[in-house]
Amino acid sequence: MKQFTIISLFLFMASTAQEHYNLIVGTYTNACFSEGIYVYDFNLQTLEYQLKSHTDKVMNPSYFTLDSEKEHLYSVNENGNESTLSAFRYDPQTGLLNLMNKVDSKGADPCYIINDDKNVISANYTGGTISVFPKKPDGSLADAVQVIEHKGSGPNEKRQEASHLHMVYFSPDHQYVFANDLGSDKIYIYHYHANGGTQTLLLKDEINLKKGSGPRHLVFSPKGNFVYVLQELDGTLSVLEWKKNQLHLIQETTVAPNLFNGINGAADIHMSQDGKFLYVTNRGDANTISVFKVSGNGTLNMIQQISTQGSAPRNFTLSPDDAYVLVANQNTNNIVIYSRNTKNGTLTDTGKRIDLCQPVCLVFDKVE
């Protein structure tokens, strides 16, 4: 009887153990009331959430990145020619973000940011530049040591009148940085030298994509042998093989709905941890999230396309256990939570929502 009681107690404790994560959300602050970056305590078992902290009047932190030690957070501050990057000290337990310093982004409207132990790198959309910022010993940002200005245009006169860098992304082996240029329909591949100073990024290659497509975001497969590139302007989704440090196009498909005559605004792309399913959002008149099954040779087949239950689905994220997908609907001021079937990849609306002004960037962080 005593053994049974102990086992029962253990099972009860296991069933009631809670998986708590910080859900960190970046927002736009110029369309409704927002303080900038919000940190929620998020329970993966119950989907309950509670606000832990937020920044104080931070301008448009629409994209951010955590360092590997989870001690610092680096955000963009989109503000035209007055744009900056911010460095924060981050406490996972309390969720507090304390501003350390700001630096000039060296390019208008930074929209994507990455970091490693040495550097922070930003893609500056309106400025058409990539900027490299060394980290100081305390984790704050030094001024930019390298600024790469891009030139180019595309056939879409309203959106491709000039170069518009929309993403920078480390290759899995950390030897290269990929950069998507929406304005010129190109992917730039740079050799990455962490201690290179003014020569941190050295151009290796330029990859031309479909004219007028507007490459926005990309993601590598878990094994690093395929790259999936989402094009904002026409909803094209390209599959490229990454072999011997070269990219080769093997498939082009689309995220646009069938018989669709509206405006596309393809936004974000992520893959399940097992590499079997790919997820893509499309804004504009579509406001959908699409699910693609990934074949053994890397090619894609759409298996589901559903409404995001809101307008302008910007960034989204899979939960750390891959059981949920959270979509940030920028224009309807909410985050919609979908359950994910881990076997067939499909999504189901849970009915759960997080209401927040103009959410645009979502990151989970485990609270140890």
Side-chain angles (χ1 to χ4, degrees), residues 125 159-160 164-167 179-188 207-218 229-234 236 238 266-267:
Y125 180 84
R159 295 293 309 279
Q160 295 183 306
H164 293 304
L165 272 294
H166 218 306
M167 185 187 215
N180 290 348
D181 187 347
L182 181 146
S184 65
D185 299 312
K186 291 179 182 289
I187 302 174
Y188 293 92
I207 308 300
N208 293 306
L209 295 179
K210 182 181 174 183
K211 293 296 184 182
S213 61
R216 179 183 170 95
H217 283 188
L218 64 80
V229 184
L230 179 62
Q231 284 97 292
E232 177 177 338
L233 301 181
D234 69 355
T236 296
S238 300

Side-chain angles (χ1 to χ4, degrees), residues 237-264:
L237 179 56
S238 300
V239 183
L240 301 101
E241 185 178 22
W242 177 241
K243 187 175 182 179
K244 296 181 178 179
N245 298 327
Q246 298 288 331
L247 278 181
H248 305 280
L249 181 68
I250 61 174
Q251 183 191 17
E252 276 189 350
T253 183
T254 182
V255 301
N258 291 331
L259 304 176
F260 181 66
N261 295 316
I263 297 173
N264 286 293

Side-chain angles (χ1 to χ4, degrees), residues 139-180:
S140 62
L141 291 171
D143 291 334
V145 293
Q146 184 181 19
V147 180
I148 302 173
E149 185 176 358
H150 292 77
K151 300 291 186 181
S153 61
N156 186 323
E157 295 181 358
K158 292 183 178 180
R159 295 293 309 279
Q160 295 183 306
E161 81 293 346
S163 180
H164 293 304
L165 272 294
H166 218 306
M167 185 187 215
V168 281
Y169 197 97
F170 285 118
S171 61
D173 62 6
H174 217 71
Q175 299 301 304
Y176 301 95
V177 168
F178 285 60
N180 290 348

